[in-house]
Amino acid sequence: MSATRDDRARDDRAGVDRAGVDRRTVAKSAAALAGLLLLDGTRTAQARTAGGVTVRLPAPTGPHRLGVTTLHLVDRHRRDPWDSAIPVREVMVTVFYPAGAVAGFPVAPQMTADAAASFLETGHRVRRELPETGVNWAATVTHAHAGAPARPVPRPVLLYSPGGGDPRTLGTGTAEELASHGYVVVTIDHPGDAGEVDFPGATAYREKVRQTVFRGDPRPHADFFRTAIETRVADTRFVLDRLESLAAGRNPDAAGRALPKHLGRALDLRRVGAYGHSAGGTTVAAALYEDRRIDAAVTMEGYLDHTPAVPGRAGELFPIAEHGADRPLLLLGSGDFSDRQALERSWAPVLARSRGRAHRRVLDGAAHWVFSDYAATAPQLQTAGLMSAEARTALVGKLAPRTSIPAVRGAVRAFFDRHLRVC
């Protein structure tokens, strides 16, 4: 990651690499990845089955075993912005948390069978680099046990918002890493925007799986982008409301499905962070400005301005860029991001106006989707012959996952460790 000369000098004295991550942390994380992922471009752990190639996610490096559950949340005070026939706003979230005993609780898949079938259809449409066939997305498993009891110890809470058109499941690797180190991580789907959302039961939507309305990048379309970000910020704040209800002993799930034991007791809502990628990065930065309950945020290559009226010019700044951040904000970027100049036009103001509370890091040799699970899966797809080298480079860059994954994980975790004081 890039840094100023003074930053590098301080980092050298502190034992920190250019990613802003302690070198010992990177070494430990890389060791945990060995044997599981394609680390050097020649070895892979994916398997071929009748359903296609199965890709694997990197193992978390923390000391905690993981539990996971999903919540179907309904906001009856908002209409759905993407479908006028839906009178409420429905949101799906996944909660990863440090677990107690996990025996007898199955390991959860990354995607449900219905979501995986939909992703096979929509993934290539949203991300042209992805193969149209040949991948068994339903076979990829997490490292978290569905429904396992939570450890009844209050933990800092982190909210995650994915990239535009992406489902929350594509942020599983980083979420598991953070949870394994003592956080409760809540990944949020934004229906209508997300690639696909699989609802567990009755829904106001007409079908069980809701697909994205996007047909490409929403950023060039001013109305789409504004609606997406406003909706995402409102979703994020609503999820935080429902977590408060959960911490107070109530069940916020729309169908009242059983919750993992002690889940509410694991939430310390006095310590809340948010992180997001691309449109999700925009979302969490905007939410940091709007909602005082959020103590710190990481935006991974999220624009901090609206779509410019004239291409190549600056757009209307979000308030956090116009006025600066008054709480910690980390801006993470990739060295090979194709739209870096436009991103810089919105990042420069917040860096200049935040009185040292905003900082920037750039991961050299990486591209935009390195901040998602594609950092792990794209190299495996390339080795399996399902993705070209050019497509892999366009998606996540040339940087090997043995370097990129620990760097991204380490930067996000070090930031929240510093500002939320996890113990």
Side-chain angles (χ1 to χ4, degrees), residues 137-221:
W137 295 107
T140 299
V141 295
T142 69
H143 303 87
H145 297 261
R151 292 177 61 85
V153 177
R155 307 282 183 179
V157 176
L158 301 178
L159 309 174
Y160 170 71
S161 181
D166 286 345
R168 71 190 190 278
T169 48
L170 293 182
T172 296
T174 298
E176 288 193 317
E177 172 70 1
L178 293 165
S180 78
H181 285 277
Y183 292 93
V184 174
V185 184
V186 182
T187 64
I188 305 171
D189 258 341
H190 305 281
D193 172 338
E196 76 288 321
V197 183
D198 184 11
F199 292 100
T203 169
Y205 189 62
R206 292 176 293 277
E207 300 176 12
K208 183 176 183 292
V209 179
R210 183 175 181 180
Q211 295 185 344
T212 182
V213 300
F214 294 167
R215 296 297 182 269
D217 184 0
R219 170 73 177 174
H221 308 284

Side-chain angles (χ1 to χ4, degrees), residues 105-318:
F105 294 92
V107 174
Q110 180 186 24
M111 301 181 188
T112 66
D114 287 343
S118 179
F119 185 74
L120 190 63
E121 175 187 343
T122 64
H124 175 76
R125 193 170 67 207
V126 176
R127 304 280 172 255
R128 293 297 181 185
E129 298 87 354
L130 294 179
E132 295 185 75
T133 59
V135 187
N136 185 359
W137 295 107
T140 299
V141 295
T142 69
H143 303 87
H145 297 261
R151 292 177 61 85
V153 177
R155 307 282 183 179
V157 176
L158 301 178
L159 309 174
Y160 170 71
S161 181
D166 286 345
R168 71 190 190 278
T169 48
L170 293 182
T172 296
T174 298
E176 288 193 317
E177 172 70 1
L178 293 165
S180 78
H181 285 277
Y183 292 93
V184 174
V185 184
V186 182
T187 64
I188 305 171
D189 258 341
H190 305 281
D193 172 338
E196 76 288 321
V197 183
D198 184 11
F199 292 100
T203 169
Y205 189 62
R206 292 176 293 277
E207 300 176 12
K208 183 176 183 292
V209 179
R210 183 175 181 180
Q211 295 185 344
T212 182
V213 300
F214 294 167
R215 296 297 182 269
D217 184 0
R219 170 73 177 174
H221 308 284
D223 290 344
F224 251 48
F225 186 72
R226 186 178 292 270
T227 298
I229 301 305
E230 290 177 352
T231 301
R232 284 163 161 262
V233 171
D235 288 346
T236 301
R237 300 185 70 179
F238 168 65
V239 168
L240 194 47
D241 292 341
R242 296 298 86 205
L243 293 177
E244 289 178 342
S245 178
L246 176 59
R250 295 184 288 274
N251 186 346
D253 185 77
R257 293 177 298 159
L259 300 174
K261 189 176 181 180
H262 303 313
L263 183 60
R265 293 174 62 187
L267 305 176
D268 183 355
L269 295 173
R270 298 168 301 175
R271 297 181 288 172
V272 176
Y275 68 105
H277 172 232
S278 197
T282 307
T283 299
V284 299
L288 178 72
Y289 185 86
E290 292 188 22
D291 199 318
R292 302 295 305 181
R293 293 174 295 180
I294 301 174
D295 300 302
V298 179
T299 173
M300 299 180 284
E301 226 145 49
Y303 296 95
L304 300 182
D305 65 346
H306 290 281
T307 304
V310 178
R313 301 286 184 87
E316 175 193 353
L317 293 175
F318 282 91

